[in-house]
């Protein structure tokens, strides 16, 4: 018998990797506690995962429905920040990993575990996110990564599982590696590893092919309060239900497909509506600074710095701006596109009498003369001192 090393809390999905990890960690001398969380991923069965974990050798198995927590404490913060890594990736996996890490650490603290563990390989970004987040919450906690450390092939894992009586479906695996939750689904590997290849249709599950989507556009209305969507087509909904409903509607119209080198994914498309409402309710300078901070927010979340002081400080700025973002956005969903077709709010900074060129124009046009004179003064001052010589004159013929 190996020397007892203490308790470890393992993030457990019930798949081949983590099922084998339970027994492997036990053989290394750890008492394994598993944690399985439902964050809206497909085909999750918490009770089945608990039973399998205990059968695989875990001394205790925790299961949690964390969809509401995931939306309120992670997804909504991302939406307020319009967070898109590299302007494209909606942070599907990056948002769930801090929650998973926090839950692992909370259990470890409660049950006196010396370590937490995950089933990530040594290639992906998720290992960074979980480990950085876990140690940010408890700098003394040890993090184990059995899948990264043991270098098993899939065939060796299956043989190991069968030898130890761990039930696995030893069938040919999907050619794709996927990760999904309420906020979307990421797809990689297989044909997608060659950037010349177009993503095949069998890689998608949440969205219809835009070319085969309904020939009639569908209009929806999303109402925002304090920057968060609270109703769909006039029906108030909690966050989880609203996201699921919008995923279904948008998916039917082929809306939400993103193809990029880092990941291929699909996701919830309320972000365009949110950003549109901000243009109607936020000051120009606030918007400019917010757009800059949105990029940094997304980078921090992607890189595993969710629990960093900078991400939390940026989040405070986002929260303050969102108290003004209230109103309704009308969107048209059609053949893979979600287009804003109307907005209304009682707190708009848009004024018709200042914007119109027609009757009722209240703008003082004479003020433009003085404004232009002052605005151009720095350039005129510079030119009078240092005449421009970097451009040839344009030949003009009569």
């Amino acid at each position: 018998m190996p020397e007892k090393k203490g308790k470890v809390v393992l993030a457990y999905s019930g798949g081949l990797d983590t099922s084998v990890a339970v027994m492997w960690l036990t053989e290394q001398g750890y008492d394994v506690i598993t944690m399985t969380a439902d964050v809206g991923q497909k085909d999750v069965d918490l009770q089945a995962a608990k039973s399998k974990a205990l059968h695989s050798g875990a001394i205790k198995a925790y299961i949690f429905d964390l969809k509401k927590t995931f939306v309120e404490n992670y997804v909504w913060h991302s939406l307020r920040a319009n967070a898109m890594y590299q302007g494209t990736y909606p942070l599907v996996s990056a948002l769930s990993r801090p929650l998973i890490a926090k839950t692992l650490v909370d259990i470890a603290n409660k049950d006196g575990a010396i370590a937490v563990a995950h089933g990530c390989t040594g290639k992906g970004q998720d290992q960074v996110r979980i480990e950085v987040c876990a140690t940010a919450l408890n700098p003394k906690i040890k993090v184990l990564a059995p899948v990264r450390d043991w270098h098993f092939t899939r065939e060796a894992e299956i043989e190991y599982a069968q030898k130890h009586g761990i039930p696995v479906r030893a069938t040919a695996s999907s050619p794709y590696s996927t990760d999904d939750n309420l906020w979307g689904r990421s797809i990689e590997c297989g044909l997608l590893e060659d950037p010349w290849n177009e993503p095949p249709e069998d890689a998608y599950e949440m969205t219809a092919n835009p070319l085969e989507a309904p020939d009639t556009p569908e209009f929806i209305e999303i109402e925002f309060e304090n920057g968060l969507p609270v109703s769909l087509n006039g029906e108030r909904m909690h966050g989880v239900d609203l996201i699921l409903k919008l995923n279904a509607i948008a998916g039917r119209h082929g809306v939400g497909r993103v193809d990029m080198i880092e990941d291929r994914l699909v996701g919830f498309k309320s972000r365009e509506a949110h950003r549109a409402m901000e243009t109607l309710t936020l000051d120009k300078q606030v918007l400019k600074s917010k757009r800059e901070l949105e990029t940094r927010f997304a980078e921090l979340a992607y890189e595993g710095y969710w629990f960093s002081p900078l991400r939390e400080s940026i989040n405070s700025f986002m929260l303050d701006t969102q108290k003004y973002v209230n109103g309704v956005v009308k969107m048209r969903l059609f053949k893979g596109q979600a287009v804003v077709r109307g907005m209304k709010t009682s707190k708009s900074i848009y004024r018709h009498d200042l914007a119109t060129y027609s009757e009722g124009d209240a703008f003082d046009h004479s003020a433009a003369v003085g404004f232009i004179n002052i605005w151009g003064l720095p350039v005129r001052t510079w030119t009078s001192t240092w005449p421009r010589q970097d451009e040839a004159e344009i030949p003009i013929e009569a």
Side-chain angles (χ1 to χ4, degrees), residues 38-238:
D38 179 1
V39 289
Q41 65 270 40
K42 182 185 177 184
D43 297 331
V44 61
D45 186 332
L46 293 178
Q47 291 298 332
K50 180 176 182 178
S51 176
K52 186 174 181 181
L54 295 172
H55 180 78
S56 300
I59 64 168
K60 187 184 290 187
Y62 286 95
I63 55 174
F64 300 99
D65 183 342
L66 296 180
K67 293 191 291 293
K68 184 173 183 290
T69 301
F70 178 52
V71 170
E72 293 179 353
N73 295 345
Y74 297 86
V75 170
W76 280 169
H77 289 315
S78 175
L79 178 63
R80 290 187 185 101
N82 296 314
M84 300 278 277
Y85 180 66
Q86 294 180 340
T88 305
Y89 172 47
L91 301 175
V92 174
S93 301
L95 292 179
S96 66
R97 299 313 185 245
L99 174 57
I100 290 170
K102 183 180 186 305
T103 308
L104 291 174
V105 170
D106 287 347
I107 294 173
N109 293 339
K110 173 181 176 293
D111 285 15
I114 64 168
V116 297
H118 59 77
C120 302
T121 67
K123 278 189 175 182
Q125 184 70 18
D126 282 340
Q127 59 179 333
V128 178
R129 294 166 184 147
I130 292 178
E131 295 186 26
V132 170
C133 287
T135 53
L137 296 169
N138 183 349
K140 296 182 179 180
I141 200 76
K142 185 178 180 181
V143 184
L144 306 177
V147 177
R148 184 177 65 200
D149 296 339
W150 65 35
H151 304 296
F152 279 13
T153 63
R154 179 173 176 81
E155 291 74 20
E157 283 188 75
I158 293 173
E159 182 180 348
Y160 180 92
Q162 291 172 341
K163 178 181 177 182
H164 290 83
I166 301 170
V168 295
R169 290 183 295 176
T171 58
S173 63
S174 166
Y176 312 112
S177 174
T178 63
D179 185 72
D180 64 311
N181 56 47
L182 274 173
W183 201 230
R185 177 174 179 265
S186 65
I187 316 155
E188 57 187 8
C189 298
L191 290 172
L192 303 177
E193 291 179 343
D194 184 346
W196 180 254
N197 292 329
E198 179 181 358
E201 279 305 307
D202 66 351
Y204 294 99
E205 289 188 8
M206 292 180 66
T207 57
N209 186 327
L211 298 177
E212 299 173 1
D215 294 327
T216 303
E218 182 171 354
F219 290 84
I220 61 173
E221 295 183 3
I222 304 173
E223 181 179 2
F224 290 87
E225 290 181 2
N226 297 320
L228 296 181
V230 295
S231 76
L232 176 62
N233 296 330
E235 179 184 357
R236 292 188 73 86
M237 296 182 182
H238 293 294

Side-chain angles (χ1 to χ4, degrees), residues 321-340:
T321 66
Q322 297 304 290
K323 61 188 177 185
Y324 305 105
V325 184
N326 303 280
V328 178
V329 178
K330 179 170 61 176
M331 302 193 72
R332 183 187 67 201
L333 308 179
F334 183 61
K335 298 291 185 182
Q337 293 186 322
V339 182
V340 174

